[in-house]
């Protein structure tokens, strides 16, 4: 089983092979794993805080029966929701720079090396798409710009 | 030797260079050696061979962007940062009676019903108690200082005046452990009513406010009466209240 998952898949035929657009297409040394991981830590903190405070807000508005929110401290929701919106906004430049740092990997060759590698790459699709979606719709919501035809809070929660 | 240029052009690891790989492959190809020499003078923060941002430069630029965004938007919730509040959609001190309004009476289509002199507040428990405007204003009034926090991120402190919700519930013989629903004059909309559980319904700070910052509540803030409770999202602080019912 393990061998099947990590066994090397055959390379695609040479005629369809596509690497980076040209040799040396990404000369910047900032396409670098150390830069990416530092940005990852920063994003982990802002996105993590944003996610947890988002859950607080969701369950405050839709409390299950077993959960009763306290009425004190009176400023609790003010702090959690302020953090939610602020960390979400701070995530925007961090996410953009992080995606720029790692985007040469899109042209990785061969595109899939093994089944696990394929799964690894596929799971990034919903992760990246979801992150961009959450930040974009969140910003539209705080600006009260409801151009999308779905109910914001429900979609925002389920995508999270 | 022949495989080396392909690797540097984005082979096994794409173009995402690993320190370890570079060391391992260091002796492998001429291109790799050249690149390493280009970085030598600048140590770990080595400039790219083409010139451009260093790692530190990127960190400073990204960090500054994030910090500027935080500093210029946090003012919608943090009073001390309000003067810097340039990018946020709200200034927490702008609006009628010094407080922002998210949903106006006009948007909620209650402008006529809320101004009706025949308005009555009904509290329905084991007993049904009704109050006209004069009776509502004759109830013992309390003053509380509570923030209103919108789910969209802004928040502001305000001083609210009006009867305590729990006194109204007691008058209608609503039990202390009951959940109630507060209903707005709004005919439609997902937030036209909100449920209040005992912790908030019985809190002495929870009011059915009829006044704000020393004056009568303005129409857009929920005249004739609105709910204001501690630690509760703004969309659930129901405005233009006309009924309170036991669930």
């Amino acid at each position: 089983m393990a061998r099947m998952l990590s066994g090397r898949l055959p390379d695609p035929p040479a005629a369809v092979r596509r690497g980076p657009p040209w040799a040396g297409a990404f000369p910047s040394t900032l396409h670098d794993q150390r830069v990416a991981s530092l940005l990852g830590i920063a994003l982990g903190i802002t996105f993590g805080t944003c996610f947890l405070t988002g859950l607080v807000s969701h369950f405050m508005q839709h409390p299950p029966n077993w959960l009763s929110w306290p009425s004190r401290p009176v400023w609790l929701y003010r702090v959690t929701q302020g953090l939610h919106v602020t960390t979400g906004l701070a995530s925007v430049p961090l996410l953009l720079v992080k995606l720029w740092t790692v985007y040469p990997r899109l042209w990785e060759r061969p595109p899939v090396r093994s089944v696990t590698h394929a799964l690894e790459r596929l799971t990034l699709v919903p992760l990246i798409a979801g992150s961009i979606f959450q930040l974009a719709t969140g910003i539209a919501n705080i600006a009260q710009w409801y151009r999308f035809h779905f109910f914001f809070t429900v979609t925002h929660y389920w995508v999270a | 030797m022949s495989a080396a240029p392909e690797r540097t052009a984005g082979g096994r690891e794409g173009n995402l260079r690993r320190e370890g790989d570079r060391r391992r492959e260091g002796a492998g190809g001429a291109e790799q050696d050249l690149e390493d020499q280009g970085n030598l003078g600048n140590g770990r923060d080595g400039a790219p061979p083409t010139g451009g941002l260093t790692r530190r430069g990127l960190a400073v630029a990204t960090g500054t962007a994030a910090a500027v965004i935080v500093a210029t938007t946090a003012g919608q919730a943090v009073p001390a940062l309000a003067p810097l509040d340039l990018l946020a959609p709200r200034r927490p001190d702008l609006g009628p009676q010094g407080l922002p309004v998210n949903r106006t009476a006009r948007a909620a289509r209650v402008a006529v019903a809320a101004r009706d002199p025949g308005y009555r507040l009904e509290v329905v428990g084991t007993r049904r108690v009704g109050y006209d405007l004069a009776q509502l204003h004759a109830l013992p009034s309390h003053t509380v200082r509570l923030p209103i926090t919108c789910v969209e991120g802004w928040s502001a402190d305000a001083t609210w005046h009006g009867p305590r919700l729990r006194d109204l519930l007691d008058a209608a013989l609503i039990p202390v452990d009951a959940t109630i629903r507060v209903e707005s004059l709004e005919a439609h909309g997902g937030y036209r009513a909100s449920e209040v559980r005992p912790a908030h319904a019985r809190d002495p700070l929870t009011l059915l406010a009829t006044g704000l910052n020393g004056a009568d509540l303005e129409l857009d803030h929920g005249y004739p009466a609105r709910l204001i409770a501690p630690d509760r999202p703004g969309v659930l602080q129901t405005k233009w209240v006309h009924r309170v019912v036991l669930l």
Side-chain angles (χ1 to χ4, degrees):
Chain A
M1 182 70 179
R3 182 179 290 177
M4 197 187 86
L5 287 178
S6 58
R8 196 181 164 89
L9 294 172
D11 282 358
V16 297
R17 284 182 72 181
R18 292 279 187 278
W22 56 87
F26 310 110
S28 174
T29 52
L30 298 170
H31 299 301
D32 168 297
Q33 212 156 53
R34 193 160 146 259
V35 174
S37 61
L38 283 175
L39 284 164
I41 292 169
L43 259 181
I45 294 168
T46 58
F47 238 98
T49 310
C50 195
F51 177 71
L52 292 178
T53 50
L55 279 184
V56 167
S57 185
H58 176 82
F59 286 113
M60 256 193 189
Q61 293 179 61
H62 309 279
N65 278 327
W66 48 267
L67 188 70
S68 198
W69 286 102
S71 56
R72 302 295 161 84
V74 299
W75 42 260
L76 180 63
Y77 186 70
R78 182 181 203 178
V79 170
T80 63
Q81 197 61 10
L83 275 174
H84 179 67
V85 173
T86 305
T87 52
L89 288 170
S91 299
V92 172
L94 297 176
L95 182 70
L96 291 178
V97 176
K98 163 118 186 164
L99 289 178
W100 174 82
T101 305
V102 298
Y103 90 98
R105 279 204 165 194
L106 262 180
W107 283 273
E108 202 172 10
R109 194 166 58 163
V112 287
R113 290 195 302 273
S114 62
V115 176
T116 36
H117 183 232
L119 288 176
E120 195 183 305
R121 296 198 78 180
L122 275 178
T123 52
L124 287 176
V125 174
L127 188 71
I128 294 171
S131 306
I132 294 172
F133 179 85
Q134 291 297 71
L135 293 181
T137 55
I139 289 169
N141 183 58
I142 64 169
Q144 300 197 328
W145 190 63
Y146 297 109
R147 291 306 296 274
F148 33 80
H149 295 276
F150 50 79
F151 191 51
F152 172 73
T153 50
V154 176
T155 320
H156 203 63
Y157 173 68
W158 283 107
V159 174
Chain B
M1 195 62 198
S2 62
E6 187 187 307
R7 279 196 180 177
T8 37
R12 194 164 50 81
E13 291 298 331
N15 219 29
L16 204 71
R17 298 180 179 92
R18 278 185 176 153
E19 297 280 350
D21 288 350
R22 201 179 286 178
R23 244 169 264 130
R24 246 179 285 128
E25 292 172 5
E31 271 191 42
Q32 188 75 59
D33 288 347
L34 270 177
E35 194 182 303
D36 282 352
Q37 274 172 17
N39 286 344
L40 277 179
N42 294 296
R44 290 182 75 87
D45 277 344
T50 52
L53 265 184
T54 58
R55 268 187 203 154
R56 185 171 295 140
L58 183 75
V60 169
T62 313
T64 306
V68 165
I69 288 175
V70 169
T72 54
T73 54
Q76 63 178 337
V78 185
L81 288 175
L84 288 177
D85 188 12
L86 299 171
L87 287 182
R90 294 284 178 171
R91 275 279 303 260
D93 53 347
L94 293 185
Q97 297 180 288
L99 198 66
V101 168
N102 249 28
R103 190 163 164 78
T104 61
R106 223 179 121 176
R109 297 182 188 184
V110 296
V112 175
R115 272 190 290 229
D116 180 3
Y119 164 90
R120 278 181 75 80
L121 170 71
E122 273 210 322
V123 187
V124 186
T126 316
R127 233 172 77 188
R128 177 186 292 255
V129 188
Y131 306 85
D132 62 21
L133 279 173
Q135 288 165 327
L136 181 63
H137 285 275
L139 289 170
S141 180
H142 298 262
T143 295
V144 301
R145 184 109 182 123
L146 281 181
I148 183 143
T149 304
C150 181
V151 290
E152 286 150 24
W154 63 266
S155 55
D157 279 309
T159 305
W160 307 90
H161 323 277
R164 278 183 177 145
L165 180 61
R166 68 175 187 190
D167 294 342
L168 295 169
L169 303 184
D170 286 342
L173 303 177
I174 290 175
V176 290
D177 57 352
T179 295
I180 53 138
R181 188 174 63 229
V182 176
E183 298 177 359
S184 167
L185 287 166
E186 280 176 87
H188 307 285
Y191 296 112
R192 62 167 296 278
S194 70
E195 278 185 20
V196 190
R197 299 208 178 177
H200 290 83
R202 293 285 160 178
D203 194 296
L205 292 180
T206 302
L207 304 185
L208 207 62
T210 53
L212 165 61
N213 292 337
D216 276 351
L217 207 55
E218 284 210 3
L219 190 59
D220 284 340
H221 283 306
Y223 174 87
R226 76 165 302 164
L227 181 67
I228 183 75
D231 191 26
R232 186 171 168 88
V235 286
L236 302 183
Q237 309 273 33
T238 307
K239 301 200 274 191
W240 313 292
V241 172
H242 80 129
R243 258 166 66 91
V244 177
V245 292
L246 171 64
L247 288 181

